Amino acid sequence: MSKTETPALTGEGAPLVQEVKQAMAGFVNEFKGLKAEVNTKLQQTEERLIMLDRKSTIAARPHLAASIEDGAPHQKAFDAYVRSGEDDGLRGLEVEAKSLSTAVNSDGGYLVDPQTAETIKSVLNSTASIRSIASVVNVEANSFDVLIDHTDVGAGWADENSATAETGTPSIDRISIPLHELSALPKASQRLLDDSAFDVEGWLAGRVADKFARAEAAAFINGDGVDKPKGLMIHRAVPNDGWSWGSVGYVATGIDAGIDADAIVDVVYALGAQYRVNGTFIMNSKTAGVIRKLKDSDGRFLWSDGLAAGEPARLMGYPVLIAEDMPDVATDSFSIAFGDFQAGYTIAERPDLRVLRDPFSAKPHVLFYATKRVGGDVSDFAAIKLVKFGTA
C-alpha cells in the first residue's frame, strides 16, 4: 500500500466516517443554494440600477410636444402663439390676424388661455365700479332686453248688485341693452417675449384688465351710449316730486355747491321702501371727504367706517361705493347717487375674451389686440335717485 492511500477504516470507525461524509454533502448543497440565491439578488439589483439610470436619462431629455400638450393643450397653444405666432396647425395665422371677423366666435377664440381670462374677470370684479353692485348677466346675442312692468292693475270696490266696471291693465316696457366692443392694445418687445422666464400670461392679464376696468367703470357712470354702455348719469334728471318713468329723480340740497345732513335724509326716503332695503350710495373720494364731516342735530356723524377690513363705509347705515368717475362737488352737480343698483342698473356682457397677435404693425414690438363685448343701461328708473348740489 502506498503512502498516499488512506487506509480503509473498519470496525467501530466506519459509521463515524459515513456520518461526516453525509454532513459535508449537506453543507455543500446548502452553500450552493445560498450562492445561487445571492447571485439572483445581485442580478435583480443590477437590473434595477440599469432601469433607474435609463429613467434619469429620459427625464433629462427635452419633452416631446405631444407629452406636454397632454397636460394643458390650451396653455401650450397660447404660449406658443404669443411667443412666435405659430403652432401646430396655426402656421400663417399672423398674416391673417388683422382680417379675422369678430362675428365668428371660433376665429381665434381658442387662443385665449382660460387662466388669463379668469384673472381679468377677477380684477374687473374687484375694481371700484358699479359692476360690483349692479346686475350682471352673460348673453350670447348682440343685445339683452329687460322687460319692465312699472304700472299697476286697476281695482275697485264692488257691491252685490252693481256690475263690475273694467279696470286698468298693466303695460310692459322693454329696455334693450346693446353690447359694445371694449378693446385694449398693449404691446411688448419680441425680445422680451422670447425670454422663457417672462410670464406672458400674467403680463397680458394685468395690462388688459387695468384698461378694461377703467374704461368700463367710466362708461357705466357717464357713457353716452354711442359705441359704449349708457351710464346712469346720462339720463334726464328731474325733481323727484315730478318724476316719471324714463328719467331719474333727484333731491336738491338747497345749498349752492353744498350739502347738509337733511339732504341725505331726504334722498334716502325719496327712494321707495322696496328699493331702500338694498340701497347703496355712490360718490367719488372728494365728495366722500365732504360727506363724512356731516353731523345730525345731536352732533353724531352720519358716516361710519367699516368695522372689518374690506367692509365698505356706511352712510346712515347704507354702504358707500367710492367710484372716482362720479362728478366732483360743484354748482348743480349730481355728485351722489343712491339706490338699489341690483334692480336699477343692468350690465350685459359676452363671457368670452378674444386676443389677436399682431407682430407687424409696431416692429420690433408685438401688439396684443384684446376685445370684450359689454353693454349697460338703467333697467329700473324708480330704483335710483340723485342728489343735486344746488338750490332747486
Side-chain angles (χ1 to χ4, degrees), residues 27 57 86 98 119 164 184 211 225 229-230 343 378-379:
F27 173 76
T57 303
E86 294 184 355
K98 295 182 181 180
T119 304
T164 303
K211 180 71 174 287
K230 185 175 290 186
V378 173
S379 53

Side-chain angles (χ1 to χ4, degrees), residues 192-208:
L192 187 61
L193 295 176
D194 290 339
D195 185 0
S196 61
F198 179 66
D199 184 6
V200 178
E201 299 174 31
W203 168 82
L204 182 62
R207 292 289 300 274
V208 174

Side-chain angles (χ1 to χ4, degrees), residues 146-152 169-175 245:
V146 181
L147 301 179
I148 300 295
D149 174 16
H150 59 84
T151 57
D152 200 1
T169 303
S171 60
I172 297 177
D173 281 348
R174 182 179 67 178
I175 298 176
W245 185 263

Side-chain angles (χ1 to χ4, degrees), residues 259-299:
I259 190 172
D260 57 13
D262 291 342
I264 300 297
V265 175
D266 290 342
V267 73
V268 167
Y269 290 98
L271 194 67
Q274 68 273 28
Y275 300 115
R276 200 161 56 238
V277 174
N278 298 317
T280 300
F281 282 96
I282 302 178
M283 65 189 75
N284 65 21
S285 296
K286 292 182 180 179
T287 306
V290 175
I291 299 301
R292 70 176 301 141
K293 300 174 184 177
L294 296 179
K295 299 180 181 180
D296 60 15
S297 58
D298 295 326

